[in-house]
């Protein structure tokens, strides 16, 4: 099983990195350009050992090359999630799979069996020119969509026969429509159409603090308590349902170095 290691410090001053630009793979450059749009959670690069070993600023040491990459792209590359070594072909394949969200970190060892973890002691070794090194970072551009919201006119909620027109029971209808997406509800509120749509868009675009603001009474929405939610919906109200996003990865505890 691949071990995940974290290098927080490099004892060498990392300055003058313009000569490093050619070592950043075209694969990573293309992913970096698309990451803010596609929302990739992690970014990976495969670097031949000869390049890692020849970097004077880091004395050619495997682990310290992490800081070289982070210094090159400080606004994009976050903490190191994974460092592994192996044949160049498998290293490139693993980097590509990670960059398109095609593999979980825990599955890298199984899908690419020739890739081996670099433990803490090996991180201080000079890079092997016969190997390639896989560096995987958290992406600073990644946005976590923990909640999903939907605005539903009261007339629709009220006339849903299978839920008897009850506000709370409409949650079951939403989960039935999208069973692999909508999880448990975390908020039900009511307000006019404009306010509801504004709150819904804020939640669905992962606007910072949107959910917290909503729970505090923001967006001119009124949260509905348990007893009121068991009543029939009012036709002149618009109801906001906020549910957990089952597709969100933040609940899977894949970040080991938060």
């Amino acid at each position: 099983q691949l071990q995940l290691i974290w290098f927080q410090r490099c004892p060498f001053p990392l300055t003058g990195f313009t000569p490093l630009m050619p070592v950043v793979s075209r694969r990573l450059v293309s992913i970096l350009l698309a990451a803010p749009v596609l929302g990739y959670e992690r970014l990976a690069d495969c670097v031949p050992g000869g390049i890692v070993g020849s970097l004077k600023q880091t004395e050619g040491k495997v682990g310290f090359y992490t800081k070289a990459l982070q210094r090159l792209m400080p606004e994009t590359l976050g903490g190191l999630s994974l460092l592994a070594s192996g044949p160049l072909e498998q290293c490139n394949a693993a980097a590509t799979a990670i960059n398109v969200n095609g593999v979980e970190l825990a599955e890298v060892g199984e899908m690419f069996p020739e890739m081996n973890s670099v433990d803490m002691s090996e991180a201080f070794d000079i890079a092997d020119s016969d190997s390639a090194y896989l560096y995987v970072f958290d992406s600073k551009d990644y946005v976590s969509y923990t909640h999903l919201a939907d605005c539903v006119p009261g007339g629709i909620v009220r006339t849903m026969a299978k839920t008897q027109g009850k506000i709370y029971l409409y949650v079951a209808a939403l989960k039935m429509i999208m069973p692999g997406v909508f999880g448990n509800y975390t908020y039900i509120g009511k307000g006019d159409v404009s306010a509801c749509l504004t709150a819904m868009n804020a939640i669905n675009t992962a606007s910072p603090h949107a959910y917290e603001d909503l729970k505090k009474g923001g967006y001119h929405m009124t949260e509905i308590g348990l007893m009121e939610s068991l009543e029939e919906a009012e036709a002149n109200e618009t109801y906001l349902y906020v549910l957990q996003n089952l597709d969100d990865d933040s609940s899977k505890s894949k970040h080991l170095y938060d």
Side-chain angles (χ1 to χ4, degrees), residues 118-229:
V118 175
D119 62 31
M120 187 61 71
S121 61
E122 294 174 318
F124 294 92
D125 293 342
I126 303 297
D128 183 353
S129 60
D130 294 327
S131 294
Y133 294 88
L134 178 67
Y135 294 85
V136 184
F137 299 88
D138 291 340
S139 171
K140 291 185 177 180
D141 291 318
Y142 176 72
V143 177
S144 176
Y145 294 85
T146 57
H147 297 89
L148 293 173
D150 193 19
C151 277
V152 186
I156 293 178
V157 179
R158 186 180 180 88
T159 57
M160 176 70 70
K162 291 185 178 180
T163 59
Q164 302 172 18
K166 303 293 179 63
I167 300 169
Y168 170 74
L169 295 182
Y170 195 81
V171 171
L174 291 172
K175 294 172 69 173
M176 187 177 298
I177 293 171
M178 303 183 72
V181 177
F182 285 136
N184 294 328
Y185 93 95
T186 60
Y187 174 93
I188 300 176
K190 65 180 181 180
D192 61 40
V193 176
S194 177
C196 188
L197 290 175
T198 298
M200 180 187 74
N201 289 333
I203 295 293
N204 289 340
T205 57
S207 178
H209 311 296
Y211 182 73
E212 291 80 1
D213 291 344
L214 181 65
K215 291 288 289 184
K216 293 177 181 178
Y219 300 102
H220 303 288
M221 296 295 296
T222 301
E223 185 169 9
I224 295 174
L226 177 60
M227 297 305 297
E228 184 180 354
S229 71

